[in-house]
Amino acid sequence: MSKKKDISLAILSGALLVLGFPPFELFPAAWIAIVPLLICLGGKGLKSAFFYGTITGFVYFIGTIYWVFNSVYFYGGLPVLLSLLAVVLLCLFYSVFIGIFALLFRFLSAHSRIPAAFIVPVLWVIVEYARTHIVIMGFPWSSLAYTHYKILPLIQIADITGVYGISFLIAAVNGAVFDVAVHWPKRANRMPLYDKWPIIGGVSFVSVIIAVSLVYGMWRLNVDEQGQIVRVSVIQGNFEQDKKWDPAYQREIIDTYKRLTLDVSAANPDLIVWPESALPFVFGRDEPFTSELLEFQKTIDAHLLFGSVAYKGISDGRYQLTNSAVLTSPSGEVLSTYDKMHLVPFGEYVPLRKMLPFIGKLVEAVGDFEKGEEYTVMATPKVRISSPICFEIIFPSLVRKFARNGADLIVTITNDAWFGRSPAPYQHFSMAVFRAVENRMPVVMSANTGISGFIDAKGRIIKTSDLFVEAVLTEDVIIKSFQRSFYSAYGDLFVFLCIISCVLMMANNIKPGEKDNKSNFSRNSFGRNW
């Protein structure tokens, strides 16, 4: 196969992956998206496999996270060329993970008789998990499972396996398609039985796990949900990012949230939610505005949860500030505060500041935010609330720790004005669906400009707002008595099983003295024509 054709196949894989995510949402594309990449790896050495995998990864990520440009250029103040460079470097960094996937797949598939239907999903889950948890730059955006956020029967197993289980299913189908398309020649009737069994076994394996997942999903969807009803209202103020900290708009922002809140109070909500950084002042530091807010709270017969920059004191001559969620009572008392723990690198703090003194932040605030230290669960008489802030909702292990601490409702507040009119707000909301299913908890999302909305404990999207409009949404949310899902209780056991499987496969096929050459790669594999 020519190099030009190989590159085309690698690009095709990346493009098919992109089509599965919002705004396209062509989820069937995900079932075959990895296949072109696997085909082009045939006969390649490990370096070439890494190269083609990286090409796929770059197309994949540039097509799904290009909106980062909007944040760093329009609101970060970087010149256009530097903004483009930042996006390219970010996508190249994450594409390395797909390159590693391709390298490992090439090695294992060429040294063993294990079908791709098993190798592909195991490796894919591991690289997704690594991309989530890598130090500083962990960023699980665009995980394969998120292409299926609307396919409710299939995603219910996330309460056992987490989001990684759905990525496993999709990647396993890709592997099975590859096994059949490449390793089952037209002259199949003359293929030795020795070569048929891995393919038959792989297809059978995929068929069984898909069937079991669908049966489990249909059962879960038909389980009757009973519990206490909590009425929640979400306020979407709709302020563009460049207005958030402009003193000229300070009074307008405060009055808008007060007006919308008074409008919704007639619906008698138990809880009213304002988005991340809703307050255009530092709560606890700017006394007149802080007092005004707490006095206003006394005029509404509901608890209020809002996002704000919060003042924690002065250390070493500078303000200690946090990106926080604050819960207040109908009497104007501050009941609880959660300080964001997973800060955005270069947005909310500068990592390795001493090594990178020339890099500024992309937010308009004084100094870096301080990192929170506790998985705070906020309590009202009716509900115990976890409040992951902004992109914290995309980290499965972070959200489940709130569940383990006793939360029974997830209220995520965010400021998606950073994203502009891009697919990012839709992608962000789609990921919240999986946090609901994983933990069997409703999710309420309050965004500054959208998407705001409600998701029930089965992942069904109940109600959403549009982008860049004022919105007030009210919904009765079913709160079940505290009962942790398997995933909430035990975490990523499924991923660790994949890691163990990978280690065993590698240990069984690494032989002393073997070299990276194409002759070795064709010696033991069942696909002699690949």
Side-chain angles (χ1 to χ4, degrees), residues 309-326:
V309 174
Y311 173 70
K312 300 297 181 180
I314 298 177
S315 177
D316 296 328
R318 70 182 186 90
Y319 293 133
Q320 303 288 299
L321 303 175
T322 57
N323 185 355
S324 300
V326 182

Side-chain angles (χ1 to χ4, degrees), residues 325-474:
V326 182
L327 178 69
T328 56
S329 71
S331 62
E333 178 187 0
V334 176
L335 297 178
S336 187
T337 300
Y338 165 68
D339 301 327
K340 187 177 181 183
M341 295 186 292
H342 199 128
L343 301 177
V344 180
F346 306 107
E348 294 173 321
Y349 80 108
V350 179
L352 308 175
R353 177 179 285 277
K354 292 182 179 179
M355 297 176 61
L356 304 171
F358 54 90
I359 296 180
K361 297 193 303 87
L362 303 181
V363 293
E364 298 180 62
V366 182
D368 294 335
F369 283 126
E370 300 298 316
K371 180 180 178 182
E373 298 179 351
E374 296 184 15
Y375 293 89
T376 304
V377 174
M378 305 176 177
T380 77
K382 285 190 174 183
V383 64
R384 291 172 60 82
I385 303 164
S386 66
S387 188
I389 298 174
C390 192
F391 91 146
E392 286 187 320
I393 193 69
I394 76 176
F395 292 91
S397 60
L398 185 150
V399 176
R400 84 169 187 87
K401 290 175 183 175
F402 285 106
R404 290 191 65 183
N405 282 359
D408 43 34
L409 173 66
I410 301 169
V411 178
T412 182
I413 57 176
T414 185
N415 177 21
D416 287 357
W418 288 102
F419 304 146
R421 294 186 180 275
S422 74
Y426 300 93
Q427 294 171 0
H428 195 190
F429 192 86
S430 72
M431 290 181 266
V433 169
F434 283 82
R435 305 296 87 80
V437 177
E438 286 167 348
N439 300 285
R440 291 299 169 197
M441 273 186 217
V443 172
V444 176
M445 179 175 279
S446 176
N448 172 40
T449 62
I451 306 294
S452 300
F454 297 86
I455 304 165
D456 74 6
K458 297 178 181 179
R460 292 178 295 207
I461 298 172
I462 306 302
K463 187 181 293 184
T464 61
S465 69
D466 292 327
L467 283 175
F468 292 99
V469 294
E470 283 188 8
V472 175
L473 305 177
T474 300

Side-chain angles (χ1 to χ4, degrees), residues 26-345:
L26 301 176
F27 75 90
W31 296 94
I32 58 170
I34 308 172
V35 176
L37 170 62
L38 302 180
I39 291 173
C40 88
L41 298 180
K44 303 299 189 298
L46 298 184
K47 292 180 181 179
S48 294
F50 178 81
F51 171 73
Y52 290 114
T54 301
I55 290 176
T56 293
F58 183 76
V59 176
Y60 176 16
F61 292 114
I62 202 73
T64 53
I65 63 173
Y66 66 86
W67 47 262
V68 172
F69 174 84
N70 192 86
S71 301
V72 298
Y73 176 62
F74 290 104
Y75 303 120
L78 291 182
V80 63
L81 291 180
L82 284 179
S83 298
L84 288 171
L85 179 62
V87 174
V88 168
L89 291 176
L90 184 68
C91 292
L92 280 174
F93 176 78
Y94 292 117
S95 68
V96 168
F97 289 90
I98 309 302
I100 293 171
F101 160 81
L103 182 155
L104 293 175
F105 171 78
R106 180 59 189 145
F107 175 83
L108 288 174
S109 62
H111 282 75
S112 73
R113 295 179 52 75
I114 302 172
F118 185 73
I119 296 175
V120 171
V122 165
L123 295 180
W124 194 272
V125 165
I126 291 172
V127 297
E128 280 197 348
Y129 185 78
R131 183 159 63 88
T132 301
H133 293 278
I134 190 169
V135 178
I136 297 177
M137 296 295 286
F139 189 56
W141 208 279
S142 304
S143 293
L144 191 58
Y146 294 134
T147 59
H148 283 60
Y149 76 101
K150 291 183 178 178
I151 314 303
L152 296 181
L154 191 69
I155 70 173
Q156 299 304 308
I157 62 164
D159 67 352
I160 300 173
T161 66
V163 67
Y164 304 105
I166 292 82
S167 289
F168 185 96
L169 292 177
I170 300 168
V173 172
N174 276 268
V177 171
F178 170 76
D179 283 336
V180 172
V182 174
H183 292 329
W184 194 280
K186 295 179 181 179
R187 300 184 299 278
N189 59 323
R190 287 181 285 176
M191 178 188 290
L193 186 61
Y194 180 77
D195 280 342
K196 290 181 181 179
W197 273 119
I199 304 173
I200 295 171
V203 172
S204 300
F205 165 74
V206 172
S207 300
V208 169
I209 61 174
I210 292 291
V212 169
S213 299
L214 288 173
V215 170
Y216 177 77
M218 293 303 295
W219 170 72
R220 289 295 321 191
L221 287 171
N222 285 286
V223 172
D224 186 32
E225 293 288 350
Q226 295 182 347
Q228 183 174 1
I229 300 297
V230 176
R231 178 163 292 184
V232 182
S233 293
V234 170
I235 307 297
Q236 180 172 295
N238 184 37
F239 289 98
E240 296 181 8
Q241 184 59 31
D242 54 359
K243 294 181 179 180
K244 294 288 292 180
W245 293 99
D246 187 337
Y249 293 94
Q250 192 172 45
R251 174 48 56 186
E252 178 186 349
I253 292 172
I254 294 172
D255 289 347
T256 296
Y257 279 106
K258 290 170 68 175
R259 169 175 55 82
L260 294 174
T261 300
L262 289 174
D263 288 345
V264 79
S265 62
N268 297 316
D270 300 298
L271 175 67
I272 299 173
V273 185
W274 294 359
E276 177 190 17
S277 300
L279 306 186
F281 59 88
V282 179
F283 186 75
R285 174 63 181 176
D286 296 331
E287 291 293 343
F289 288 123
T290 299
S291 297
E292 178 184 346
L293 175 64
L294 295 178
E295 286 299 314
F296 170 75
Q297 170 75 63
K298 298 176 183 179
T299 67
I300 57 174
D301 186 22
H303 287 77
L304 175 65
L305 191 155
F306 58 87
S308 175
V309 174
Y311 173 70
K312 300 297 181 180
I314 298 177
S315 177
D316 296 328
R318 70 182 186 90
Y319 293 133
Q320 303 288 299
L321 303 175
T322 57
N323 185 355
S324 300
V326 182
L327 178 69
T328 56
S329 71
S331 62
E333 178 187 0
V334 176
L335 297 178
S336 187
T337 300
Y338 165 68
D339 301 327
K340 187 177 181 183
M341 295 186 292
H342 199 128
L343 301 177
V344 180

